Amino acid sequence: MLASSTITTLRQQLVAGEITPRDIILDLAKAIESRNTSLGAYLSWDIDAALAEADKADTSGPLGGIPIAIKDNINVTGQPCTCGSRILAQNYTAPYDAGAIQRLRAGGAIPFGRLNMDEFAMGSSTENSALGVTRNPCDLERVPGGSSGGSAAAVAGDLAIAALGSDTGGSIRQPAALCGCVGIKPTYGRISRYGLVAFASSLDQIGPLTKTVADSALLLNHLCGHDSRDSTSLNVETPDFTASLGQDIKGLRIGLPKEYYINGIHPGVSASVQAAIRKLESLGAIIEEISLPHTELGVATYYVLAPAEASANLARFDGVRYGHRSAGAADLMEHYTRSRSEGFGPEVKRRILLGTYVLSSGYYDAYYIRAQKARTLIRDDFTEAFKKVDVILSPTSPTPAHKLGEMKDNPLAAYLEDVFTIPVNLAGLPGISVPCGTVEVEGKALPVGLQIVGKALDEATVLRVAHAFEQS
Amino acid sequence: MPAAHQIDIHHVAKLARLTLTEDEAACYAAQLDGILTYIDTLTQHDLGAAEPTAHAMPVYDVLRVDEPRPGFTQEQALSNAPKRSGDQFQIPKVIE
């Protein structure tokens, strides 16, 4: 079955003339049509458009003829881009390609299918989607994680070869961990945010979710690069990330933050990660304890900065230029408030309200400025730690996937699940999640993810460690 | 439990251009109070003389050449308008 294959394998088969791009689309379409009803990974897919692209695909490109599924917050010309929200669910068709999509196309890839997500990427279970439920392929009673839950479920459930997600506080790495696939958030600024619907602009970053580390490296080669339409895009060279794969990790220094290995980690997660650490040690890595003393400030800092930025970014949804427009408003103010109140779901409203509050007169210094100062301390912690070590290891998520509905009435408890991923966004660093075993819960084997964090722009080392671990 | 933060939720909603039912207002006020109580770890922590960080990878003064370049056509820009009048976005009447 081609749908369960990797980019690397399919490329070999395409080049050898054993299969065509059309074969891949047809096989994927069959898989989606038979299993998406139970998994809910995709919100929409257009087989005819994908076949038309497949038939004229230039298979000579490094991604030639490979379909990539897209999180529903990245614009692809002619496709929906709902952000999992009622406010964009109808009457929005993207009039342009995001920068990341243009780069995928330049490599010959075909953007195929739109993946479910927490509304506007706000959440870590995909339960905040207004448009449907996504289930974990390892246990259909459980969440896939989020916010890129559709991306992770599709890749791990063999309904996609690979996918794009976005990561603001862990939204690529955490669902990858919970579903059992690979997900990498590159250094902030590596991949253009042009055409990614903005949630928290200083934290958002696009990245791939794949079945193997090699596929992530290959996709990063094409996704990264400067884009003048994103003023935070870094004008730095993109190395060949695949070149670092296969190199050994002898003498590489790996840091374990003592603040991370404390209470609250599920014992099964802890055991899997400890086993991973021993394995890396047996491959020649040197394990050292390090300290990230401001870890305890991470989640609080994030839940000031991200909602603050979101409240400003989501002001654009005014029912005028695109998106839901309330019928029959008497005046302009009512038009705004009704269109927005009808269009946004509860978690989005909660974060807009929180963000508006922390930015409002009298609270700005107490919350927003203090959070920005705490962000400096968190970033400086990493800078200090990386003087001693090459990468930092932790669980991606402290727990395996929870059951659908379990966290419904406790938003704060759900926020605390992001404790290991959030600091990485605040510091703008690259981080990957690779599968590192499973934990048995109620008769189901639930995946555990190992997070590997590197220095800014050092995705190569992150990928090298992840690949060594994956292949061992 | 009494609220630790006196949040005027309707005022905040007005600033955010949202309308809330009374039930929603009570629910959000209580939830925000809980979240802000957690966030108070920041206000209780001595942050010393740390400078605020807006972006982890700061990029300064990004300028582009000020010259015409391709953009949306009027039709593309209007293609998702919920309501249009000729070549313009239509909104409720603002001036009497």
Side-chain angles (χ1 to χ4, degrees):
Chain A
M1 198 172 93
L2 303 179
S4 60
S5 197
T6 64
I7 301 177
T8 313
T9 305
L10 290 176
R11 281 295 305 157
Q12 287 164 356
Q13 291 176 283
L14 282 165
V15 170
E18 294 162 14
I19 56 169
T20 66
R22 170 173 272 267
D23 296 335
I24 306 174
I25 300 288
L26 287 173
D27 196 65
L28 271 179
K30 207 166 89 185
I32 295 168
E33 280 169 356
S34 71
R35 289 192 291 119
N36 193 59
T37 313
S38 60
L39 215 52
Y42 286 85
L43 290 172
S44 62
W45 60 95
D46 185 341
I47 299 167
D48 293 337
L51 285 175
E53 285 196 53
D55 287 342
K56 55 178 201 244
D58 175 6
T59 54
S60 68
L63 299 173
I66 300 294
I68 307 289
I70 310 296
K71 186 176 182 179
D72 214 8
N73 62 348
I74 301 171
N75 280 273
V76 178
T77 308
Q79 297 186 6
C81 187
T82 68
C83 297
S85 180
R86 280 194 305 273
I87 212 161
L88 285 170
Q90 277 148 11
N91 308 323
Y92 182 82
T93 303
Y96 69 112
D97 275 346
I101 298 297
Q102 289 175 331
R103 286 187 170 273
L104 283 184
R105 285 197 203 276
I110 301 166
F112 173 53
R114 311 291 309 177
L115 297 160
N116 200 12
M117 54 185 282
D118 284 300
E119 185 173 359
F120 286 102
M122 296 177 187
S124 43
S125 69
T126 313
E127 291 169 293
N128 293 330
S129 171
L131 306 179
V133 178
T134 303
R135 294 167 186 276
N136 192 313
C138 303
D139 178 355
L140 296 177
E141 297 300 306
R142 291 180 187 269
V143 301
S147 67
S148 310
S151 305
V155 172
D158 290 336
L159 296 189
I161 311 302
L164 290 192
S166 66
D167 190 316
T168 305
S171 280
I172 289 173
R173 292 158 286 158
Q174 186 260 17
L178 268 45
C179 289
C181 63
V182 176
I184 183 165
K185 179 201 90 71
T187 306
Y188 180 81
R190 269 279 196 208
I191 298 178
S192 169
R193 291 183 297 107
Y194 175 76
L196 167 69
V197 179
F199 160 16
S201 305
S202 82
L203 303 160
D204 297 341
Q205 190 61 196
I206 291 174
L209 292 96
T210 59
K211 290 166 190 165
T212 62
V213 175
D215 277 5
S216 274
L218 179 60
L219 281 178
L220 279 189
N221 276 358
H222 296 281
L223 289 165
C224 296
H226 182 245
D227 184 348
S228 59
R229 297 163 302 184
D230 168 5
S231 64
T232 61
S233 168
L234 295 173
N235 202 346
V236 294
E237 209 168 304
T238 304
D240 176 5
F241 293 114
T242 61
S244 56
L245 306 180
Q247 293 175 17
D248 71 47
I249 57 165
K250 286 195 181 70
L252 193 112
R253 295 162 307 165
I254 292 178
L256 307 179
K258 63 179 182 193
E259 293 81 3
Y260 283 21
Y261 293 88
I262 47 167
N263 302 330
I265 302 179
H266 186 285
V269 170
S270 192
S272 294
V273 171
Q274 292 301 333
I277 292 165
R278 285 195 297 276
K279 187 177 262 185
L280 287 164
E281 200 167 22
S282 75
L283 295 173
I286 300 159
I287 309 292
E288 287 179 38
E289 184 180 88
I290 56 157
S291 176
L292 299 171
H294 297 94
T295 294
E296 59 163 345
L297 300 180
V299 175
T301 301
Y302 178 86
Y303 279 97
V304 173
L305 297 181
E309 294 185 29
S311 72
N313 274 326
L314 271 59
R316 74 192 58 185
F317 293 95
D318 56 7
V320 174
R321 292 153 300 158
Y322 40 72
H324 174 71
R325 176 185 176 117
S326 181
D331 57 32
L332 190 59
M333 182 59 111
E334 196 181 314
H335 160 92
Y336 290 148
T337 56
R338 277 174 49 173
S339 298
R340 290 164 61 77
S341 300
E342 290 166 14
F344 289 136
E347 180 64 22
V348 175
K349 287 180 187 170
R350 186 154 43 238
R351 296 211 200 180
I352 290 176
L353 290 168
L354 178 58
T356 304
Y357 178 81
V358 299
L359 289 177
S360 64
S361 173
Y363 300 100
Y364 182 84
D365 286 350
Y367 289 110
Y368 189 66
I369 295 295
R370 287 190 76 84
Q372 287 196 321
K373 287 181 178 176
R375 184 174 188 176
T376 306
L377 298 175
I378 290 162
R379 190 194 56 191
D380 291 350
D381 282 356
F382 281 104
T383 306
E384 278 306 305
F386 280 125
K387 287 177 183 168
K388 286 175 63 185
V389 296
D390 301 300
V391 293
I392 295 172
L393 284 197
S394 73
T396 307
S397 167
T399 57
H402 60 76
K403 285 200 168 160
L404 286 155
E406 206 175 301
M407 307 281 256
K408 196 166 137 266
D409 298 318
N410 196 346
L412 183 58
Y415 295 175
L416 295 172
E417 299 268 286
D418 302 333
V419 58
F420 300 132
T421 48
I422 275 175
V424 183
N425 296 76
L426 291 170
L429 303 172
I432 197 170
S433 180
V434 283
C436 73
T438 55
V439 38
E440 187 88 359
V441 182
E442 295 175 9
K444 295 275 168 63
L446 303 179
V448 177
L450 176 71
Q451 178 175 246
I452 306 164
V453 178
K455 298 171 191 169
L457 297 175
D458 194 15
E459 287 83 359
T461 303
V462 169
L463 290 161
R464 181 177 143 207
V465 177
H467 188 256
F469 176 71
E470 178 192 58
Q471 299 297 317
S472 65
Chain B
M1 200 177 78
H5 303 82
Q6 298 300 318
I7 304 166
D8 182 348
I9 195 74
H10 286 294
H11 174 66
V12 177
K14 189 179 164 203
L15 293 175
R17 301 292 185 264
L18 292 168
T19 46
L20 304 177
T21 64
E22 282 310 315
D23 284 351
E24 284 176 325
C27 173
Y28 286 128
Q31 287 175 337
L32 291 198
D33 188 63
I35 295 165
L36 287 168
T37 299
Y38 177 75
I39 287 173
D40 281 340
T41 50
L42 281 182
T43 46
Q44 288 150 11
H45 200 282
D46 179 14
L47 302 176
E51 288 291 318
T53 292
H55 274 264
M57 306 283 288
V59 182
Y60 296 105
D61 297 337
V62 179
L63 301 173
R64 63 169 167 80
V65 186
D66 187 17
E67 58 188 27
R69 51 187 182 146
F72 280 163
T73 62
Q74 203 155 12
E75 212 37 58
Q76 281 175 314
L78 285 160
S79 64
N80 287 300
K83 204 164 184 187
R84 64 186 277 186
S85 171
D87 287 338
Q88 299 171 61
F89 296 106
Q90 193 177 331
I91 58 168
K93 196 171 174 184
V94 183
I95 303 165
E96 287 304 317

